[in-house]
Amino acid sequence: MLYLLLSIICSVSVGVIFKIARKWSTNAKQIVLFNYFFALLLCYFTFSPDVQTITAEAPFLLFISLGILLPVVFLFLIASIKNIGIVKTDAAQRLSLFVSIVAAWLLFKEVFSIAKLIGITIGFLALFCVLNKTADNTKKDLKYPVLVFLGFGIIDILFKKVAAFTAIPYTTSLFLIFSIAFFCMICAVLYEMIVKKKPFELNNLLFGFLVGCFNFGNILFYLKAHQAFSTNPSTVFAGMNIGVILLGSIVGIVVFKEKLSKLNYLGLVLALFSIVFIVVSA
């Protein structure tokens, strides 16, 4: 349970760092760039990826798609935290599992049990309630949490396809995907610096280092939790999703004084119930 708890803390910490970064003169793209730089270093020294296992038969289109999507959705995550806060953004991110579940139904013809159908129905109700605007943020842009919801759902589908390609170790695939994401962000930051004359700021390096460490920690401890609960993966799945929603809500409400309506609170409760139903049906 220690690994699972550490993974939850690392996941929520990423949102906290971005929330704190609002008070500084920061550049989101530079933070994401340095995040992948430090995550790559940690990935290399921790997992020792064997790049020699990457052959011509590797799913490069899949790797490139994830390498582009990861930083783009990361930027949507930052924008969502700035617009509607940690509580709703974490909930939207965790409820994105319904995108992959619906894909399993539509694309892979998976047969759903009654419990899973109930969980999906509750999940969409939860999403509506969580993203419902409160009285003090009627002008907030909800496109970012919706993009977070859809983006992480698509990423989850693609990562499942990567995991199914067993000719390359998963950690090596992850290293390659991080490398592509890092290259994409180098291009984006250079464009901003050269064309838009955005200066390099040292505090972006610090925030990028923190995000990269916690982002990698989330992945590392999540994998270790799955190893510890190898015979019961649903425990990790449920614990991670429910834990992030609960801890994210506590931090957002208590520390950052984020305001939620009664409908928003109902959405958080429904989100927890929906995840439980889906895990039970697995």
Side-chain angles (χ1 to χ4, degrees):
M1 290 303 292
L2 176 62
Y3 290 135
L4 184 57
L5 179 60
L6 289 172
S7 183
I8 292 168
I9 292 172
C10 285
S11 180
V12 174
S13 294
V14 171
V16 172
I17 292 168
F18 284 129
K19 189 80 172 179
I20 294 172
R22 291 184 61 186
K23 300 178 180 179
W24 297 70
S25 177
T26 55
N27 181 296
K29 290 185 178 66
Q30 290 184 22
I31 292 176
V32 174
L33 167 67
F34 293 123
N35 149 70
Y36 283 118
F37 173 74
F38 290 111
L40 264 176
L41 287 180
L42 289 168
C43 186
Y44 180 80
F45 288 110
T46 304
F47 296 135
S48 301
D50 186 5
V51 293
Q52 292 182 346
T53 59
I54 302 172
T55 62
E57 290 75 28
F60 288 106
L61 182 60
L62 196 58
F63 292 155
I64 293 170
S65 299
L66 277 166
I68 295 172
L69 267 177
L70 279 174
V72 168
V73 176
F74 219 144
L75 292 171
F76 290 153
L77 182 77
I78 297 171
S80 180
I81 291 171
K82 288 181 178 178
N83 268 267
I84 65 169
I86 293 175
V87 179
K88 294 184 178 184
T89 300
D90 275 343
Q93 180 183 350
R94 291 299 152 183
L95 285 170
S96 66
L97 67 99
F98 298 110
V99 175
S100 56
I101 290 172
V102 171
W105 176 39
L106 296 177
L107 300 178
F108 307 111
K109 309 302 180 184
E110 180 180 333
V111 179
F112 284 3
S113 65
I114 296 297
K116 184 166 288 188
L117 288 172
I118 292 172
I120 291 172
T121 303
I122 295 174
F124 282 116
L125 287 173
L127 189 67
F128 170 78
C129 294
V130 166
L131 297 184
N132 190 270
K133 297 178 182 180
T134 54
D136 66 324
N137 69 351
T138 54
K139 294 182 180 179
K140 297 294 184 182
D141 197 341
L142 292 182
K143 71 181 178 184
Y144 294 115
V146 171
L147 288 170
V148 167
F149 169 76
L150 295 173
F152 275 103
I154 295 169
I155 286 171
D156 183 50
I157 295 168
L158 296 181
F159 265 122
K160 284 178 181 177
K161 286 184 173 292
V162 169
F165 190 81
T166 54
I168 300 176
Y170 185 78
T171 50
T172 301
S173 297
L174 187 65
F175 179 79
L176 180 58
I177 292 166
F178 275 178
S179 299
I180 296 170
F182 178 57
F183 175 76
C184 290
M185 290 313 301
I186 287 177
C187 295
V189 169
L190 285 176
Y191 173 80
E192 273 200 340
M193 292 178 69
I194 296 170
V195 178
K196 295 187 176 181
K197 309 298 181 183
K198 293 286 182 69
F200 167 78
E201 295 167 340
L202 194 60
N203 55 353
N204 294 319
L205 177 63
L206 173 61
F207 282 115
F209 168 73
L210 293 172
V211 172
C213 290
F214 282 111
N215 198 17
F216 177 77
N218 176 29
I219 295 169
L220 175 64
F221 294 126
Y222 188 67
L223 290 175
K224 285 186 174 293
H226 269 296
Q227 290 173 350
F229 290 93
S230 57
T231 59
N232 193 10
S234 61
T235 299
V236 179
F237 179 77
M240 186 64 188
N241 284 276
I242 292 173
V244 168
I245 291 176
L246 286 176
L247 182 59
S249 299
I250 292 169
V251 171
I253 295 166
V254 176
V255 178
F256 296 106
K257 311 300 180 184
E258 294 180 7
K259 295 182 180 179
L260 301 180
S261 67
K262 292 180 180 179
L263 194 59
N264 296 152
Y265 282 111
L266 175 61
L268 293 175
V269 174
L270 290 174
L272 300 180
F273 274 111
S274 66
I275 292 170
V276 169
F277 268 102
I278 288 173
V279 172
V280 168
S281 70

